[in-house]
Amino acid sequence: MQWRRTAGTVLLAGALLALAGPTGQPAGLTAGPTGRTASTATAAAPADGPDPIDFAVVVDQSASLAEKDLARETEAAALLSQGEISERSRAAVIGFGSSEKPGQSPVREVCPLTVADAAGRQRLSDCVPQLNRRDAARMGPGTDFPAALRQAVSRLTEDARPNTPKVVFLLTDGRLDVGDSPEYGTDKANRQANGQKRLNEELARARAASVQIWPLGFGSEIDRAALTAMAEGGHRGSCADIPEATPKMRVVGTSAEIDKALQETFAAARCARIAHGTVGKPPADLSVTIPPIATDGSLTVGKHDPKVRVTYYDPAGRKVPTRGEFDGSTFEVSGQDGPVEALRVKNPMPGRWRIHIEAPEGHRDREVAVRAIWQGRLRSAVTLDPASPRAGEDAVVEVRMQTRRGVVITDPAQLQGVTVAAELTGGGFAPVTVRLADDGRAPDRTAGDVRFTGKLTVPASATGDLQLTARMSAPGVTSDRRPLHARTTQGTPAVTAGLTVDRVTVHPGATVRATLDVTNNDSVPHTLRLALADQTAGSDLRITPATVTAEPGRSTRTDVTVTVGPGTPVGELGGRIEVVDPGDDGRVLDSTFLDVLVEAPPTWWDRWAWAVVAGAVAALLVGAFAGIRLAARRRRRDLAGVVLELVREGRVLDTLTIRPGQSGGGEYLFTVEEVRGAAPTLRRARTGAVSAHRLRRTGGGELLLRPHRGRESAVRPGQPAALEECELIVRDGRRTSRGVPSGTPTRPRGSGAASDTGGSGGWRERLVRRPTRSGASGRDRSRTPRPDRHGSDGPPSGPSRSDPAGPAAPRPEQHTTTNNWDPNF
């Protein structure tokens, strides 16, 4: 189900972007290749777009209101008149006080009942501000609720439209006050009592005329009981079978909270939802979020000051027009020169909208608030099984919800809190209502698949035509209530049919298999047609064969193919397939939903990703192997730790240790420097030095020495090699010579003295210069170890053959320096 939810969310968002066009008739049951089915030819097709309402905003203008409170009420009234989402709704705005002397009237109709289309909303924007102007000569200071409700109910019931909700929104800061109104009696006490009786009468009149009353009070002088009685005294019906849509009173602390509370009340009354956005002072960027399921909405900007200028940007960051169509949406702005501005959007792009506000100097001190009122209007696709039931027979009803263009909703989160019911009507019986559920309990097949299922019994008295209508109720979501037409079967049906469609995932251009089983109990053949209904807009479907002939007295099975054309949009296919018998007045023998998910055709990457990944892995493995080999080769060639000893006549004149990073590419350059009066020394040479000697190690680990002006030749660790007027001994801790560790001092060929420098694997002490007793420089041999005759390091046990005098014998002065690192390099 995960792929269904993901695809459904994406497709629903895409469909809402693509839905556009003027108000009109939604597509009914579209004809397949075989033409329109007879059962849908007379199907009702209600107008597209949100259902309209007729409403009146009744505003308290009594003397108890401060000027700022009256201004807040005026702006709240403007928010309702500008934020209405249906262009077929009508709105009136009425102010009220009392009538206490000649020339006064308790009510003032500042805006007559006006259609809330583009021109009408502009007229409402112009007339609502008149509420701010109170005239004590024409209106008294009291609070005449009965007169206010009488005026509103009269306007809403004039030229009333059937099935259009009628709502009164009453704003007040107080309680009934007609004690100084002569029309209610001769003294104050009688007037108040008579005023309450008159109020009850007006509430009964509103209830009889199906007018809802939604009171909104603010301040500390509110009579909560009176407001509750007004909400409960009017019409108790609602736009949906949900508690939020039932009239109720509401009280807020101050007038500053009126605009938000009134918009929330308005949304509940007309089965819409409200999204609260951000607040800020100009210049600023505000925002509000519209959900994917919204099909109609209005962005309201409470700017207070007409000097504030507003620019709208969709979730893609594009500036949208204030009028006209853009990228599948239709826009219409109103109230730009008033305190409240609104942008009505049909098929809004879901996501976070940005609203930029600007204002000239001196007009930036008021906070601007942004909100969105929206509604999702969905189509219901209904199946009845059996498609033509007998009187008294049980039948299963299944409903799927689709957008205006037939895109199926598969994400249950989009319909959270929804209740679905189906009503069966027809000749010979009272309407039958059944509650539909998506809980996985029989007859529902799978919980959470957004298919609502229920079982009903066709009344035994049913005769002839049947009409099945689905009703959906949810906060902010309504259904179109299009009926499904069917007929009862009398006796044994002449022809029965069963159609099954494979539940598969395909690409555009592919085919879907279906099976049609038909039994013809008649004595004559019947030619049946296969028709498509409630298809997704843009679907390119073709049924083969389009007709099937059922031979008399036989049962046949036919393989049916549904071709998904290349232009079919991705997503779950909406609608259903019907099997129709034209010879029986177009009776629908069977109907089934298309359980087919259309996915985008595979891209080059989709087809060859495995090969690319496999190649990349192979390349990585080869690269890793090569890298390991190269690293090992570099390690083998590295000369770090190798010690060079410069020897003359068996004496070590100088040593030089090659440190890490000094033997790039496995080679090391050095020179032998001689300073007059001093012993030769070893120095590291820079790259490119002309007189440098080169020591390098091959990939196989062999050491090669190329003296300056000489040929390169192999060098064995621990064995001397001629170098200028001296010899060079290379000590390599990783190599051995003739089974002797490379760190073992060896006796130079033809010399009578042993090396006194130990290797990395043994021990040695540096030769140091120290003064002799005579003051001459000499070498202290008392601490110098010598190799034994087997070549092992350690303290000598007796005189050496190369030094018969023993360790105490005096020797000529010798200069030996140890130079492991030259700071100049």
Side-chain angles (χ1 to χ4, degrees), residues 575-606:
R576 60 188 188 276
I577 302 177
E578 294 181 338
V579 183
V580 182
D581 186 358
D584 191 8
D585 296 330
R587 182 190 300 274
V588 177
L589 304 181
D590 194 21
S591 176
T592 184
F593 287 125
L594 281 168
D595 288 322
V596 177
L597 179 67
V598 181
E599 291 185 341
T603 62
W604 179 92
W605 172 256
D606 294 330

mmCIF file of all heavy atoms in Angstrom, residues 575-606:
data_model
loop_
_atom_site.group_PDB
_atom_site.id
_atom_site.type_symbol
_atom_site.label_atom_id
_atom_site.label_comp_id
_atom_site.label_asym_id
_atom_site.label_seq_id
_atom_site.Cartn_x
_atom_site.Cartn_y
_atom_site.Cartn_z
ATOM 1 N N GLY A 575 -12.534 5.795 -12.308
ATOM 2 C CA GLY A 575 -13.690 5.316 -13.059
ATOM 3 C C GLY A 575 -13.868 3.811 -13.009
ATOM 4 O O GLY A 575 -13.246 3.106 -12.223
ATOM 5 N N ARG A 576 -14.719 3.334 -13.897
ATOM 6 C CA ARG A 576 -15.082 1.926 -13.893
ATOM 7 C C ARG A 576 -15.465 1.483 -15.299
ATOM 8 O O ARG A 576 -15.598 2.299 -16.216
ATOM 9 C CB ARG A 576 -16.251 1.690 -12.937
ATOM 10 C CG ARG A 576 -17.510 2.457 -13.288
ATOM 11 C CD ARG A 576 -18.561 2.317 -12.185
ATOM 12 N NE ARG A 576 -19.845 2.893 -12.573
ATOM 13 C CZ ARG A 576 -20.162 4.167 -12.459
ATOM 14 N NH1 ARG A 576 -19.282 5.017 -11.980
ATOM 15 N NH2 ARG A 576 -21.346 4.605 -12.823
ATOM 16 N N ILE A 577 -15.641 0.169 -15.466
ATOM 17 C CA ILE A 577 -16.109 -0.425 -16.724
ATOM 18 C C ILE A 577 -17.495 -1.015 -16.473
ATOM 19 O O ILE A 577 -17.720 -1.690 -15.465
ATOM 20 C CB ILE A 577 -15.152 -1.523 -17.219
ATOM 21 C CG1 ILE A 577 -13.747 -0.955 -17.400
ATOM 22 C CG2 ILE A 577 -15.649 -2.107 -18.531
ATOM 23 C CD1 ILE A 577 -12.735 -2.007 -17.827
ATOM 24 N N GLU A 578 -18.420 -0.745 -17.390
ATOM 25 C CA GLU A 578 -19.772 -1.266 -17.285
ATOM 26 C C GLU A 578 -20.063 -2.218 -18.434
ATOM 27 O O GLU A 578 -19.601 -2.010 -19.559
ATOM 28 C CB GLU A 578 -20.794 -0.129 -17.304
ATOM 29 C CG GLU A 578 -20.724 0.779 -16.093
ATOM 30 C CD GLU A 578 -21.773 1.885 -16.147
ATOM 31 O OE1 GLU A 578 -22.244 2.197 -17.267
ATOM 32 O OE2 GLU A 578 -22.113 2.419 -15.096
ATOM 33 N N VAL A 579 -20.819 -3.258 -18.132
ATOM 34 C CA VAL A 579 -21.330 -4.176 -19.147
ATOM 35 C C VAL A 579 -22.810 -3.854 -19.344
ATOM 36 O O VAL A 579 -23.602 -3.976 -18.404
ATOM 37 C CB VAL A 579 -21.149 -5.646 -18.722
ATOM 38 C CG1 VAL A 579 -21.620 -6.581 -19.837
ATOM 39 C CG2 VAL A 579 -19.695 -5.936 -18.367
ATOM 40 N N VAL A 580 -23.166 -3.415 -20.547
ATOM 41 C CA VAL A 580 -24.505 -2.889 -20.819
ATOM 42 C C VAL A 580 -25.195 -3.773 -21.849
ATOM 43 O O VAL A 580 -24.577 -4.233 -22.821
ATOM 44 C CB VAL A 580 -24.410 -1.437 -21.339
ATOM 45 C CG1 VAL A 580 -25.799 -0.866 -21.579
ATOM 46 C CG2 VAL A 580 -23.631 -0.577 -20.349
ATOM 47 N N ASP A 581 -26.479 -4.004 -21.625
ATOM 48 C CA ASP A 581 -27.301 -4.767 -22.580
ATOM 49 C C ASP A 581 -28.244 -3.794 -23.291
ATOM 50 O O ASP A 581 -29.301 -3.444 -22.761
ATOM 51 C CB ASP A 581 -28.102 -5.836 -21.848
ATOM 52 C CG ASP A 581 -28.864 -6.750 -22.820
ATOM 53 O OD1 ASP A 581 -28.781 -6.515 -24.039
ATOM 54 O OD2 ASP A 581 -29.522 -7.700 -22.339
ATOM 55 N N PRO A 582 -27.874 -3.302 -24.485
ATOM 56 C CA PRO A 582 -28.743 -2.349 -25.198
ATOM 57 C C PRO A 582 -30.109 -2.930 -25.524
ATOM 58 O O PRO A 582 -31.096 -2.188 -25.620
ATOM 59 C CB PRO A 582 -27.951 -2.030 -26.470
ATOM 60 C CG PRO A 582 -26.536 -2.419 -26.156
ATOM 61 C CD PRO A 582 -26.641 -3.579 -25.233
ATOM 62 N N GLY A 583 -30.177 -4.245 -25.682
ATOM 63 C CA GLY A 583 -31.453 -4.863 -26.019
ATOM 64 C C GLY A 583 -32.434 -4.897 -24.871
ATOM 65 O O GLY A 583 -33.605 -5.225 -25.061
ATOM 66 N N ASP A 584 -31.961 -4.566 -23.653
ATOM 67 C CA ASP A 584 -32.826 -4.534 -22.484
ATOM 68 C C ASP A 584 -32.881 -3.120 -21.938
ATOM 69 O O ASP A 584 -32.684 -2.889 -20.736
ATOM 70 C CB ASP A 584 -32.306 -5.521 -21.432
ATOM 71 C CG ASP A 584 -33.301 -5.745 -20.299
ATOM 72 O OD1 ASP A 584 -34.455 -5.251 -20.396
ATOM 73 O OD2 ASP A 584 -32.920 -6.379 -19.306
ATOM 74 N N ASP A 585 -33.108 -2.163 -22.838
ATOM 75 C CA ASP A 585 -33.214 -0.747 -22.473
ATOM 76 C C ASP A 585 -31.968 -0.231 -21.764
ATOM 77 O O ASP A 585 -32.043 0.594 -20.852
ATOM 78 C CB ASP A 585 -34.450 -0.504 -21.600
ATOM 79 C CG ASP A 585 -35.746 -0.788 -22.349
ATOM 80 O OD1 ASP A 585 -35.753 -0.600 -23.587
ATOM 81 O OD2 ASP A 585 -36.727 -1.200 -21.703
ATOM 82 N N GLY A 586 -30.807 -0.708 -22.185
ATOM 83 C CA GLY A 586 -29.546 -0.212 -21.615
ATOM 84 C C GLY A 586 -29.286 -0.641 -20.196
ATOM 85 O O GLY A 586 -28.589 0.051 -19.451
ATOM 86 N N ARG A 587 -29.808 -1.779 -19.780
ATOM 87 C CA ARG A 587 -29.590 -2.260 -18.419
ATOM 88 C C ARG A 587 -28.100 -2.536 -18.188
ATOM 89 O O ARG A 587 -27.421 -3.141 -19.018
ATOM 90 C CB ARG A 587 -30.386 -3.531 -18.171
ATOM 91 C CG ARG A 587 -30.246 -4.061 -16.734
ATOM 92 C CD ARG A 587 -30.849 -5.453 -16.608
ATOM 93 N NE ARG A 587 -32.256 -5.446 -16.948
ATOM 94 C CZ ARG A 587 -33.227 -5.166 -16.074
ATOM 95 N NH1 ARG A 587 -32.922 -4.844 -14.840
ATOM 96 N NH2 ARG A 587 -34.495 -5.197 -16.456
ATOM 97 N N VAL A 588 -27.590 -2.072 -17.044
ATOM 98 C CA VAL A 588 -26.201 -2.352 -16.662
ATOM 99 C C VAL A 588 -26.170 -3.705 -15.970
ATOM 100 O O VAL A 588 -26.761 -3.898 -14.906
ATOM 101 C CB VAL A 588 -25.649 -1.255 -15.726
ATOM 102 C CG1 VAL A 588 -24.231 -1.598 -15.284
ATOM 103 C CG2 VAL A 588 -25.682 0.096 -16.420
ATOM 104 N N LEU A 589 -25.488 -4.672 -16.602
ATOM 105 C CA LEU A 589 -25.420 -6.020 -16.057
ATOM 106 C C LEU A 589 -24.333 -6.175 -15.002
ATOM 107 O O LEU A 589 -24.470 -6.970 -14.072
ATOM 108 C CB LEU A 589 -25.167 -7.027 -17.188
ATOM 109 C CG LEU A 589 -26.188 -6.997 -18.340
ATOM 110 C CD1 LEU A 589 -25.841 -8.047 -19.377
ATOM 111 C CD2 LEU A 589 -27.606 -7.212 -17.814
ATOM 112 N N ASP A 590 -23.250 -5.440 -15.141
ATOM 113 C CA ASP A 590 -22.181 -5.496 -14.146
ATOM 114 C C ASP A 590 -21.338 -4.230 -14.276
ATOM 115 O O ASP A 590 -21.289 -3.606 -15.337
ATOM 116 C CB ASP A 590 -21.303 -6.733 -14.328
ATOM 117 C CG ASP A 590 -20.418 -6.986 -13.110
ATOM 118 O OD1 ASP A 590 -20.764 -6.485 -12.020
ATOM 119 O OD2 ASP A 590 -19.391 -7.682 -13.234
ATOM 120 N N SER A 591 -20.670 -3.897 -13.166
ATOM 121 C CA SER A 591 -19.822 -2.712 -13.140
ATOM 122 C C SER A 591 -18.676 -2.971 -12.183
ATOM 123 O O SER A 591 -18.874 -3.539 -11.103
ATOM 124 C CB SER A 591 -20.631 -1.492 -12.691
ATOM 125 O OG SER A 591 -19.808 -0.358 -12.573
ATOM 126 N N THR A 592 -17.488 -2.577 -12.570
ATOM 127 C CA THR A 592 -16.322 -2.798 -11.710
ATOM 128 C C THR A 592 -15.344 -1.649 -11.852
ATOM 129 O O THR A 592 -15.211 -1.048 -12.923
ATOM 130 C CB THR A 592 -15.622 -4.130 -12.061
ATOM 131 O OG1 THR A 592 -14.551 -4.349 -11.132
ATOM 132 C CG2 THR A 592 -15.047 -4.100 -13.459
ATOM 133 N N PHE A 593 -14.659 -1.338 -10.747
ATOM 134 C CA PHE A 593 -13.626 -0.310 -10.778
ATOM 135 C C PHE A 593 -12.398 -0.817 -11.529
ATOM 136 O O PHE A 593 -12.124 -2.019 -11.565
ATOM 137 C CB PHE A 593 -13.202 0.106 -9.364
ATOM 138 C CG PHE A 593 -14.223 0.932 -8.635
ATOM 139 C CD1 PHE A 593 -14.702 0.547 -7.395
ATOM 140 C CD2 PHE A 593 -14.689 2.117 -9.192
ATOM 141 C CE1 PHE A 593 -15.625 1.318 -6.723
ATOM 142 C CE2 PHE A 593 -15.619 2.899 -8.522
ATOM 143 C CZ PHE A 593 -16.093 2.499 -7.288
ATOM 144 N N LEU A 594 -11.663 0.113 -12.089
ATOM 145 C CA LEU A 594 -10.371 -0.204 -12.700
ATOM 146 C C LEU A 594 -9.300 -0.146 -11.617
ATOM 147 O O LEU A 594 -8.952 0.937 -11.137
ATOM 148 C CB LEU A 594 -10.034 0.790 -13.817
ATOM 149 C CG LEU A 594 -10.728 0.573 -15.152
ATOM 150 C CD1 LEU A 594 -10.519 1.782 -16.048
ATOM 151 C CD2 LEU A 594 -10.199 -0.676 -15.831
ATOM 152 N N ASP A 595 -8.782 -1.293 -11.214
ATOM 153 C CA ASP A 595 -7.717 -1.344 -10.216
ATOM 154 C C ASP A 595 -6.369 -1.373 -10.924
ATOM 155 O O ASP A 595 -5.633 -2.361 -10.870
ATOM 156 C CB ASP A 595 -7.872 -2.573 -9.328
ATOM 157 C CG ASP A 595 -9.045 -2.441 -8.378
ATOM 158 O OD1 ASP A 595 -9.250 -1.330 -7.883
ATOM 159 O OD2 ASP A 595 -9.747 -3.444 -8.157
ATOM 160 N N VAL A 596 -6.066 -0.283 -11.580
ATOM 161 C CA VAL A 596 -4.852 -0.219 -12.398
ATOM 162 C C VAL A 596 -4.073 1.035 -12.004
ATOM 163 O O VAL A 596 -4.626 2.132 -11.952
ATOM 164 C CB VAL A 596 -5.190 -0.185 -13.904
ATOM 165 C CG1 VAL A 596 -3.916 -0.043 -14.733
ATOM 166 C CG2 VAL A 596 -5.962 -1.434 -14.296
ATOM 167 N N LEU A 597 -2.800 0.848 -11.734
ATOM 168 C CA LEU A 597 -1.904 1.958 -11.442
ATOM 169 C C LEU A 597 -1.012 2.186 -12.660
ATOM 170 O O LEU A 597 -0.319 1.278 -13.116
ATOM 171 C CB LEU A 597 -1.047 1.668 -10.214
ATOM 172 C CG LEU A 597 -0.050 2.764 -9.830
ATOM 173 C CD1 LEU A 597 -0.776 4.012 -9.359
ATOM 174 C CD2 LEU A 597 0.912 2.272 -8.755
ATOM 175 N N VAL A 598 -1.033 3.403 -13.169
ATOM 176 C CA VAL A 598 -0.212 3.765 -14.317
ATOM 177 C C VAL A 598 1.037 4.473 -13.813
ATOM 178 O O VAL A 598 0.943 5.465 -13.096
ATOM 179 C CB VAL A 598 -0.984 4.669 -15.298
ATOM 180 C CG1 VAL A 598 -0.119 5.014 -16.497
ATOM 181 C CG2 VAL A 598 -2.266 3.980 -15.747
ATOM 182 N N GLU A 599 2.185 3.936 -14.171
ATOM 183 C CA GLU A 599 3.459 4.540 -13.801
ATOM 184 C C GLU A 599 4.135 5.116 -15.031
ATOM 185 O O GLU A 599 3.895 4.665 -16.150
ATOM 186 C CB GLU A 599 4.381 3.515 -13.137
ATOM 187 C CG GLU A 599 3.920 3.065 -11.764
ATOM 188 C CD GLU A 599 4.924 2.140 -11.112
ATOM 189 O OE1 GLU A 599 5.765 1.573 -11.846
ATOM 190 O OE2 GLU A 599 4.857 1.961 -9.886
ATOM 191 N N ALA A 600 4.982 6.086 -14.812
ATOM 192 C CA ALA A 600 5.717 6.687 -15.917
ATOM 193 C C ALA A 600 6.598 5.639 -16.581
ATOM 194 O O ALA A 600 7.119 4.745 -15.911
ATOM 195 C CB ALA A 600 6.574 7.850 -15.411
ATOM 196 N N PRO A 601 6.752 5.702 -17.900
ATOM 197 C CA PRO A 601 7.594 4.711 -18.581
ATOM 198 C C PRO A 601 9.012 4.771 -18.054
ATOM 199 O O PRO A 601 9.493 5.833 -17.642
ATOM 200 C CB PRO A 601 7.514 5.129 -20.054
ATOM 201 C CG PRO A 601 7.070 6.544 -20.039
ATOM 202 C CD PRO A 601 6.217 6.707 -18.828
ATOM 203 N N PRO A 602 9.680 3.630 -18.024
ATOM 204 C CA PRO A 602 11.032 3.619 -17.470
ATOM 205 C C PRO A 602 11.985 4.471 -18.294
ATOM 206 O O PRO A 602 11.941 4.473 -19.520
ATOM 207 C CB PRO A 602 11.422 2.133 -17.520
ATOM 208 C CG PRO A 602 10.559 1.550 -18.588
ATOM 209 C CD PRO A 602 9.269 2.310 -18.538
ATOM 210 N N THR A 603 12.819 5.196 -17.615
ATOM 211 C CA THR A 603 13.840 5.993 -18.275
ATOM 212 C C THR A 603 15.053 5.112 -18.590
ATOM 213 O O THR A 603 15.109 3.936 -18.217
ATOM 214 C CB THR A 603 14.266 7.162 -17.385
ATOM 215 O OG1 THR A 603 14.838 6.636 -16.181
ATOM 216 C CG2 THR A 603 13.060 8.019 -17.021
ATOM 217 N N TRP A 604 16.003 5.707 -19.297
ATOM 218 C CA TRP A 604 17.237 4.973 -19.581
ATOM 219 C C TRP A 604 17.878 4.511 -18.283
ATOM 220 O O TRP A 604 18.370 3.390 -18.181
ATOM 221 C CB TRP A 604 18.202 5.877 -20.345
ATOM 222 C CG TRP A 604 19.512 5.205 -20.661
ATOM 223 C CD1 TRP A 604 19.841 4.515 -21.772
ATOM 224 C CD2 TRP A 604 20.679 5.172 -19.804
ATOM 225 N NE1 TRP A 604 21.122 4.041 -21.680
ATOM 226 C CE2 TRP A 604 21.669 4.427 -20.481
ATOM 227 C CE3 TRP A 604 20.967 5.691 -18.553
ATOM 228 C CZ2 TRP A 604 22.933 4.200 -19.954
ATOM 229 C CZ3 TRP A 604 22.219 5.452 -18.006
ATOM 230 C CH2 TRP A 604 23.186 4.716 -18.699
ATOM 231 N N TRP A 605 17.822 5.362 -17.279
ATOM 232 C CA TRP A 605 18.422 5.003 -15.999
ATOM 233 C C TRP A 605 17.672 3.847 -15.362
ATOM 234 O O TRP A 605 18.282 2.945 -14.777
ATOM 235 C CB TRP A 605 18.440 6.203 -15.075
ATOM 236 C CG TRP A 605 18.864 5.863 -13.680
ATOM 237 C CD1 TRP A 605 18.084 5.746 -12.580
ATOM 238 C CD2 TRP A 605 20.197 5.578 -13.237
ATOM 239 N NE1 TRP A 605 18.830 5.424 -11.479
ATOM 240 C CE2 TRP A 605 20.131 5.301 -11.851
ATOM 241 C CE3 TRP A 605 21.430 5.520 -13.879
ATOM 242 C CZ2 TRP A 605 21.251 4.979 -11.097
ATOM 243 C CZ3 TRP A 605 22.564 5.203 -13.117
ATOM 244 C CH2 TRP A 605 22.452 4.935 -11.751
ATOM 245 N N ASP A 606 16.323 3.866 -15.442
ATOM 246 C CA ASP A 606 15.543 2.778 -14.865
ATOM 247 C C ASP A 606 15.918 1.436 -15.483
ATOM 248 O O ASP A 606 15.982 0.408 -14.801
ATOM 249 C CB ASP A 606 14.047 3.032 -15.060
ATOM 250 C CG ASP A 606 13.564 4.244 -14.294
ATOM 251 O OD1 ASP A 606 14.154 4.539 -13.238
ATOM 252 O OD2 ASP A 606 12.619 4.904 -14.758
#
